[in-house]
Amino acid sequence: MSRLALPYRSPAASCVRAEPWQLVLDGATTDLPESLDFWDYRMDVELSRTMYVDLTAARTGAALTDGAVLTLAAIWTASGSNLRGSVQRVPLTGDGVRTVELHAVLPGAQLGGVLSLETVLVLSRTAGTAAPFAPRRAGSLLWDDAAALRLQGDAPLFPMTVIDFAHTSFRDGAAWHLQLGSDLNAAAMGSMLLLVNEKAEEVSVAFAHAARPGPVDRVVLSMVYSDCARIMVEHALLKEEFVDDADFPEDSLGTTLVNLFHQLFPGRTIQDLRQLRQNSPSLFASELQAATRILQEA
């Protein structure tokens, strides 16, 4: 429950009893983990939660009349995509304790980074004459809590789509193509797209199995990850503004590339790697293979 001082009366936190968020995988539920190590953008996130709301206690604590309508809502926000949406909204009327089952399937293509979940109990509509210091406006917060799930994965963490390369300008024999924007200050999620050729069945199947990859899938995903990391690093090194003291906006393509660089080459400078690529491309390629741990178990 938020501890911020509200300009109106609010009920005790005990008016809502919340079970932990549950992650649903293959029909089985488990408590929401801190991170989802096998997640990728083709994997939707299914969530559920059971809530018990004491409407009588909530209204009494907020000095609301018996006819006031409350709403229990859950909202998700993904830091990787800067998108947000509603998990579920449930209007609550009547008295006593109401049991509410929250459930949603969040599309993986809209997620990324840290998935934040905020559950709130708000006033939807008043009824009758409000008592002094009682909340009056629709949307007034009565109770809230928050949870988070860090989304990670074996696959590169950017949007992807499977298409037929025969209908594009790409070579039909290519298995994948990574598109990167030229503006390092632009939003990362709008500047990166991994295209997979649907004719490269081993690759499309590997991404479909990314949540539970088999031995062949792991090899394919490792190769795609290594190649995409190479493309991203080389793309960055070709940009004059990509330097050690660069300051790019949060969640921008430039920040994403800087974070990838320091993840792959801790303790190294951008200038050092740029010179290595210019002076010894073959050694640079070998260092990238080692940094991305190609064909190695994570």
Side-chain angles (χ1 to χ4, degrees):
M1 174 69 184
S2 173
R3 297 301 178 184
L4 294 177
L6 299 173
Y8 49 80
R9 292 183 59 176
S10 59
S14 58
C15 72
V16 177
R17 183 166 65 88
E19 299 291 339
W21 278 104
Q22 300 289 303
L23 180 67
V24 184
L25 291 173
D26 299 326
T29 60
T30 182
D31 286 349
L32 193 71
E34 292 185 0
S35 64
L36 200 56
D37 295 329
F38 49 78
W39 180 85
D40 76 273
Y41 279 99
R42 297 195 66 186
M43 177 182 177
D44 296 339
V45 176
E46 186 174 359
L47 301 166
S48 66
R49 189 182 200 186
T50 302
M51 312 282 297
Y52 304 94
V53 183
D54 189 332
L55 293 173
T56 303
R59 292 197 189 94
T60 301
L64 294 168
T65 60
D66 292 343
V69 179
L70 310 183
T71 294
L72 186 69
I75 302 105
W76 64 265
T77 305
S79 66
S81 62
N82 283 329
L83 296 177
R84 60 185 286 129
S86 174
V87 175
Q88 198 171 338
R89 297 179 63 87
V90 182
L92 302 173
T93 58
D95 298 315
V97 178
R98 282 282 306 277
T99 301
V100 179
E101 301 288 348
L102 298 177
H103 179 266
V105 179
L106 308 184
Q110 298 181 19
L111 307 179
V114 176
L115 175 64
S116 300
L117 299 165
E118 183 182 14
T119 310
V120 297
L121 180 68
V122 298
L123 172 65
S124 293
R125 187 174 67 249
T126 58
T129 303
F133 303 107
R136 291 174 171 78
R137 294 183 177 180
S140 296
L141 179 66
L142 305 179
W143 177 95
D144 71 330
D145 79 347
L149 171 65
R150 179 172 295 278
L151 299 174
Q152 299 171 321
D154 293 326
L157 293 184
F158 34 68
M160 62 163 293
T161 186
V162 179
I163 61 174
D164 185 352
F165 277 22
H167 302 306
T168 71
S169 60
F170 310 127
R171 294 294 296 269
D172 194 32
W176 61 82
H177 173 82
L178 178 62
Q179 290 184 336
L180 293 172
S182 59
D183 184 0
L184 299 189
N185 293 299
M189 288 300 292
S191 304
M192 304 184 296
L193 178 64
L194 178 63
L195 302 171
V196 175
N197 191 349
E198 67 180 15
K199 293 179 180 176
E201 294 185 6
E202 295 85 353
V203 181
S204 58
V205 168
F207 275 101
H209 294 166
R212 292 288 189 273
V216 174
D217 301 324
R218 290 186 181 278
V219 170
V220 173
L221 292 172
S222 177
M223 294 178 66
V224 176
Y225 171 77
S226 181
D227 188 53
C228 289
R230 175 190 61 79
I231 294 171
M232 293 173 73
V233 170
E234 291 189 330
H235 181 79
L237 294 177
L238 289 172
K239 300 292 184 180
E240 293 182 358
E241 63 269 35
F242 189 76
V243 293
D244 290 302
D245 58 353
D247 184 18
F248 298 108
E250 185 178 2
D251 297 322
S252 67
L253 176 60
T255 296
T256 298
L257 295 174
V258 168
N259 291 339
L260 175 64
F261 175 85
H262 290 301
Q263 175 187 335
L264 296 177
F265 303 102
R268 300 282 291 274
T269 67
I270 292 174
Q271 182 58 26
D272 173 43
L273 203 67
R274 181 176 279 121
Q275 289 181 345
L276 177 64
R277 179 179 178 274
Q278 292 172 347
N279 299 331
S280 181
S282 59
L283 181 57
F284 169 80
S286 296
E287 293 227 7
L288 261 176
Q289 284 188 15
T292 58
R293 298 177 58 83
I294 188 171
L295 303 182
Q296 300 180 46
E297 289 290 337

